[in-house]
Amino acid sequence: SNPNLDLSSSTMEKALQNNAGVEHTFVIPAAQLATALFGDAIASNLFQVGFAWQKGFIPLSLESIMKAIEMNGVSVDMNKRTFQWGRMAAHDMAKVLEAARPQMLGELEVKPKTLAEIIAHRVEHLTGYQDAALAEKYRALVEKVAAVEKEKFGSDELAKAVATYYSKLLSYKDEYEVARLYTNGEFRKNLEKQFEGDFELEVHLAPPILSKRDPETGRYKKTVFNEGMFKAFEVLAKFKFLRNTPFDIFGYFPHRKMERELIKHYEHIVSNVLLPRLNADNYATAIKIAKLPEEIRGYDVVKDKHVSRVRVKESELLVEFSNPPKQKSPSGVQYAEAV
């Protein structure tokens, strides 16, 4: 009911730091490390106990903790070793990460923060998604925004917003992208890290050509396909060069047309509305408009609802952008556009 609900841990982390003190607050990837080292996320409990004990935050002797683990009688050896690995993490996290990394499901994600990092990250993604031409088209618009913003305000918040959300619109998840993600090696590699021996895969898909809509939900009914579908994915992924050409049969579906229209509309708004009229009074509103694609989520009828809401919100923000309240300096004096 609230797609903008913040489910990140940042708010909790801040609350902990405010109450316990930054020097007494530690954020560690306990579940990921425990799973990599012991094959079970539940080991993260004793891992954290070991970490906290080594930091001096648990006023119990090592002997009493070992005795408690023994008296519990469940996975005694693993729990003891987990506790010791937690101690090691408190002493030298780098060594623990080095030991766990071969079994970890990918690297610990480090999100790009600077404008240059965001552009580099998105250019790599868009090149894999389509090709270098699409990546350069993306870079051109972002750098155009960055140049105007830097000249007027000496900042890059608007450019960061465009860099993030223009990329999102450009790389909508169509049939070619689904096929690519299933067959680029990462999906299979992660499965093999989690499961041993022989296993079978099934894929639940709702291709518009083959599916009918559910009369109650309005959504396409999904069909179960066996592992042979991955062979079809391999073939389909190779035809991504057809995307946005007259030979793209999927491009004629209503939602693919809508996704292309969203891209063109965003480019128009940024280049022909925001940049030419950008000033100190409407700068904050421009950033809000640039971030609107964040609220476009889901697929099919779910996406339709979000797009409708965003269009209404955009109309309201464009009115605000054209008729902004005069911004005031800290002293209460109105200021003109920065030059």
Side-chain angles (χ1 to χ4, degrees):
S1 60
N2 181 9
N4 298 317
L5 184 64
D6 184 5
L7 298 176
S8 68
S9 61
S10 58
T11 302
M12 184 184 296
E13 290 173 18
K14 186 175 181 180
L16 289 169
Q17 291 172 349
N18 289 341
N19 287 276
V22 175
E23 71 279 9
H24 295 148
T25 306
F26 300 88
V27 180
I28 60 175
Q32 195 172 2
L33 289 171
T35 302
L37 293 168
F38 299 100
D40 193 337
I42 199 168
S44 63
N45 294 326
L46 264 294
F47 186 92
Q48 291 175 92
V49 172
F51 186 98
W53 186 87
Q54 187 67 27
K55 289 292 185 182
F57 299 139
I58 298 180
L60 297 172
S61 68
L62 178 61
E63 291 75 15
S64 64
I65 292 178
M66 293 297 105
K67 184 65 175 178
I69 292 174
E70 292 170 0
M71 291 176 64
N72 188 48
V74 177
S75 304
V76 174
D77 181 60
M78 185 188 80
N79 282 330
K80 284 185 175 181
R81 288 187 294 117
T82 303
F83 178 84
Q84 300 294 10
W85 273 104
R87 292 182 62 194
M88 174 61 78
H91 175 68
D92 191 343
M93 177 62 82
K95 283 190 176 182
V96 177
L97 285 170
E98 183 180 355
R101 202 170 300 283
Q103 289 77 40
M104 291 176 77
L105 301 181
E107 300 291 320
L108 290 175
E109 182 181 6
V110 179
K111 293 184 178 181
K113 295 181 180 179
T114 67
L115 177 60
E117 289 173 347
I118 295 171
I119 292 175
H121 181 263
R122 295 288 86 191
V123 162
E124 181 181 2
H125 167 71
L126 290 169
T127 302
Y129 173 82
Q130 180 70 35
D131 53 27
L134 183 67
E136 286 308 308
K137 173 186 175 182
Y138 159 82
R139 187 198 296 273
L141 180 60
V142 176
E143 290 182 348
K144 178 182 178 181
V145 174
V148 172
E149 185 180 21
K150 184 176 181 180
E151 180 183 357
K152 288 192 174 185
F153 307 107
S155 58
D156 62 6
E157 290 306 307
L158 178 60
K160 283 182 179 179
V162 174
T164 301
Y165 297 108
Y166 183 39
S167 169
K168 177 181 177 180
L169 291 177
L170 286 172
S171 56
Y172 55 88
K173 192 172 288 185
D174 60 4
E175 291 76 7
Y176 303 109
E177 179 65 354
V178 170
R180 185 184 76 90
L181 293 175
Y182 270 129
T183 59
N184 66 0
E186 290 299 315
F187 176 73
R188 175 67 65 170
K189 184 171 67 175
N190 288 339
L191 281 180
E192 291 174 349
K193 286 182 177 180
Q194 296 178 74
F195 301 99
E196 295 179 350
D198 296 329
F199 53 84
E200 296 181 359
L201 296 176
E202 292 181 343
V203 189
H204 295 243
L205 302 171
I209 296 178
L210 304 176
S211 305
K212 294 182 179 180
R213 290 194 178 274
D214 186 302
E216 294 184 6
T217 66
R219 303 182 185 185
Y220 285 114
K221 293 183 178 180
K222 291 192 175 183
T223 304
V224 180
F225 296 87
N226 60 28
E227 196 161 352
M229 179 55 66
F230 285 86
K231 294 295 182 182
F233 284 153
E234 290 177 5
V235 175
L236 183 58
K238 294 177 181 178
F239 284 89
K240 66 179 183 179
F241 66 88
L242 294 177
R243 183 186 283 126
N244 297 330
T245 72
F247 303 101
D248 177 11
I249 60 172
F250 305 110
Y252 295 97
F253 294 152
H255 283 94
R256 298 295 165 262
K257 292 180 179 179
M258 178 188 71
E259 286 155 345
R260 293 197 300 271
E261 178 56 34
L262 288 172
I263 294 171
K264 292 179 181 179
H265 179 74
Y266 191 82
E267 292 168 346
H268 168 75
I269 290 294
V270 171
S271 294
N272 302 323
V273 178
L274 300 186
L275 292 185
R277 297 155 57 189
L278 191 63
N279 58 51
D281 295 325
N282 60 25
Y283 178 58
T285 305
I287 294 174
K288 292 179 183 178
I289 294 171
K291 289 182 176 181
L292 282 175
E294 167 62 22
E295 300 181 27
I296 300 176
R297 301 167 190 169
Y299 303 94
D300 197 38
V301 294
V302 175
K303 190 168 190 174
D304 290 340
K305 292 178 181 178
H306 287 303
V307 169
S308 297
R309 290 172 186 160
V310 165
R311 283 172 174 162
V312 172
K313 190 171 182 179
E314 182 188 66
S315 297
E316 296 171 350
L317 286 173
L318 286 173
V319 171
E320 181 181 315
F321 178 81
S322 299
N323 303 281
K326 292 294 183 180
Q327 300 297 313
K328 293 184 178 181
S329 67
S331 63
V333 179
Q334 293 183 348
Y335 60 85
E337 177 180 348
V339 178

